[in-house]
Amino acid sequence: IVPVAVDHISVMVFSLLLVWLPGSELIYGVYEIKMGSTTIGGSRLVSTLIQSMLLALGITMGWQVFGSNAHLRVVGNASAFVPFQGRHSSIDWRWIYGVGNLVMIPFTLARLHVRLRDMLQPFVIIYVSLLAYASLTHLSSLPNPMINVAATFIAGSAASLDECLTGTPAVLPLLPVIIILAPGSGAVKSVLLALQTGHSEFWSTSILEGTTMAVGMY
């Protein structure tokens, strides 16, 4: 077992769980309710909550075996809690979104079984949308909910325009944006918070983030 700094643990854990995080289901649950399908949307939201609980319990159980007191000087029950509050990256955001995405986006599209010759247009839409999100986050004074609305609106509008011009389904470039920006990790973190403190922020934070992104897509 290799010692790892506490503030790096959440990044490592949620990076590995990226495909299973229920963020997209959270957004589409809100979207279904907005479109009038209350039963389907409500089922999606409940499913998101249950999936978040299962993931949080799995992470906590794994921590008892492999992570308890790892690189921590904590005594008592606190050592059994998963440290999920990471620090901000020391790498400049321009490097992450401007250069890092040049590598990450093609791998994400390949994971969705998109052929290499079909990647150009989705790549451009995803790259611009994520760069717009990062720019608004770091250079504007807009609150986070408005940034979420703006970023998903840009992605949804560009994807819809591409569908009108080329016939490529709008969901193809939109899905990776949702996977990356969706508040799936936040939903799991809110359950971890509930396990550790007895107070959950699932409905006040995760649902709000999902709602802002659903509004942007709408």
Side-chain angles (χ1 to χ4, degrees), residues 103-187:
V103 178
M104 185 188 71
I105 294 173
F107 276 104
T108 305
L109 290 172
R111 179 67 178 79
L112 296 172
H113 305 291
V114 179
R115 295 177 298 183
L116 185 61
R117 66 183 183 183
D118 297 328
M119 282 187 184
L120 180 59
Q121 290 158 322
F123 172 85
V124 172
I125 294 172
I126 297 167
Y127 183 85
V128 171
S129 301
L130 294 178
L131 191 60
Y133 171 81
S135 300
L136 289 172
T137 301
H138 293 89
L139 301 179
S140 75
S141 57
L142 291 173
N144 286 335
M146 295 301 99
I147 293 174
N148 291 337
V149 171
T152 48
F153 177 77
I154 292 171
S157 300
S160 299
L161 179 62
D162 181 57
E163 183 176 16
C164 292
L165 296 176
T166 66
T168 304
V171 70
L172 180 60
L174 190 57
L175 187 57
V177 176
I178 292 175
I179 290 175
I180 295 170
L181 296 184
S185 61

Side-chain angles (χ1 to χ4, degrees), residues 2-17 59 63 67 70-72 82-91 189:
V2 180
V4 176
V6 175
D7 48 12
H8 291 168
I9 291 173
S10 64
V11 176
M12 297 173 64
V13 169
F14 291 110
S15 296
L16 294 172
L17 295 176
I59 294 170
W63 181 256
H71 205 69
L72 280 171
V82 183
F84 59 88
Q85 299 292 351
R87 65 178 179 183
H88 292 290
S89 174
S90 58
I91 305 174
K189 287 180 180 180

